[in-house]
Amino acid sequence: MNNDSLERYNAYIDKISSESIPQYEPFIGQEEIDNVVNVLKGNWLSEGVYTRQFEDKIKKMYKMDYALACANGTGVLIMGLKALGIGTGDEVIVPSYTHPADVNCIYAVGATPKFCDIDLSNYCISPNSIIQNINKKTKAILVVHLFGFAAEMDKIINIGMEKDIPILEDCAQALGTKYNNKLVGSFGDFGMLSFFADKTITTGEGGMLITNNQELIDEVNIYKHDGRRERGLDLIERQGYNFRITDIQSAIGVAQFDRLKEFINLKQILNETYIEKLKLCDSITIINNNSKTYRVPHRVVINAKNSIELIDFLAKKGIGCRRSYRPMHKEPICNIDGDFPNSDRAYSE
């Protein structure tokens, strides 16, 4: 790390260390500690019993046929795209207003992101924008359920069926969120979950692919294990990766999952508290659920015309607050001209 990078990193650490009310913090209890100790005493640290338990719990929750634990959500998307045969010359529709991992995964398989605008009522990809951007090169639609909101999956699934285009769901920030009483992540060809440190349940890092497609899960498993169908086999069938999780992480995940209802309840109480306390502030807006969505809030999302000033004010009070994502079409890696007014407005406010 060079001096400039180290200085910026230290400044960031100083900032978050000074927060008396952090933007997020994990809930780690004795059960998580006990599970990790069991793994360490068992002397098998890579994927093992806890990983299979973790997968089974997620699979049953989502009522899906398959769940595959991975090192992170980014790996899930890369392997899922490759398993669908998406690569050079193909386009994947994706919202510009999203986490950079979604776009990086598309580039990682050699495909090109085709950016769409969002709906400001839910910060998710706009079905109308999807329709406007479909062409002969479109090989998938990547839906991102941002901040725990749900995209309009009934409309999007209909688009995918009509055009015969796979629908992929990034639910990294939406574990437990439902649309029309069905868990997001269970609508499309596959869903991705993330267990990074700021998620509803965490394993520090970690991800999960969920699907009902056996052919897809078999392909992803090959990519996950260095091009082999499983560890211990010598036959290399693909140019694969090592996207395995550890049993230490999964041991934490199993304990976290057993407290999922508690965590969801706490997050919803916090979100409702902000809405109640700030309801008389004319200068801000908090977007809440619509009638079709049962939301598990990833963040309390506040819209403010003077967002930068508000962030600075809160920081001085020790309250953790961050600006949301810069639209990817404006990032140097993409730098794409286009009209994305809702994405630009979401970032500015």
Side-chain angles (χ1 to χ4, degrees), residues 125-263:
I125 193 167
S126 161
N128 289 335
S129 188
I130 291 174
I131 293 171
Q132 294 166 9
N133 283 281
I134 290 176
N135 59 53
K136 293 181 179 179
K137 294 182 179 180
T138 305
K139 293 297 184 291
I141 298 168
L142 178 51
V143 178
V144 185
H145 301 288
L146 208 60
F147 306 136
F149 292 104
E152 293 186 83
M153 291 311 297
D154 47 1
K155 295 180 181 179
I156 294 172
I157 290 297
N158 285 338
I159 293 170
M161 292 177 63
E162 181 181 334
K163 301 293 185 179
D164 194 25
I165 299 172
I167 305 295
L168 322 179
E169 295 182 79
D170 177 348
C171 307
Q173 301 181 2
L175 179 70
T177 289
K178 296 179 182 179
Y179 182 80
N180 281 341
N181 207 34
K182 182 178 179 179
L183 286 164
V184 297
S186 61
F187 286 86
D189 290 72
F190 74 81
M192 179 272 275
L193 307 175
S194 170
F195 309 112
F196 178 66
D198 67 344
K199 300 306 192 294
T200 302
I201 63 173
T202 183
T203 57
E205 294 280 359
M208 191 86 72
L209 185 146
I210 52 176
T211 185
N212 288 324
N213 187 329
Q214 182 178 350
E215 183 178 344
L216 185 140
I217 204 75
D218 288 344
E219 279 292 301
V220 169
N221 202 45
I222 293 172
Y223 287 117
K224 172 183 169 179
H225 292 296
D226 304 295
R228 302 170 291 178
R229 290 192 178 271
E230 189 53 77
R231 290 175 301 176
L233 298 178
D234 294 328
L235 187 65
I236 307 300
E237 303 180 48
R238 305 281 187 277
Q239 292 181 357
Y241 312 90
N242 176 2
F243 279 132
R244 292 185 291 275
I245 199 169
T246 70
D247 229 36
I248 295 172
Q249 293 168 281
S250 295
I252 297 171
V254 167
Q256 289 269 295
F257 185 91
D258 290 341
R259 301 164 67 198
L260 178 58
K261 289 183 179 179
E262 172 192 350
F263 295 161

Side-chain angles (χ1 to χ4, degrees), residues 97 123 147 301 311 322-327 346-349:
Y97 186 67
Y123 299 99
F147 306 136
V301 184
I311 289 171
R322 306 287 184 273
R323 196 174 188 183
S324 64
Y325 303 116
R326 176 183 168 96
Y347 176 62
S348 68
E349 297 180 5

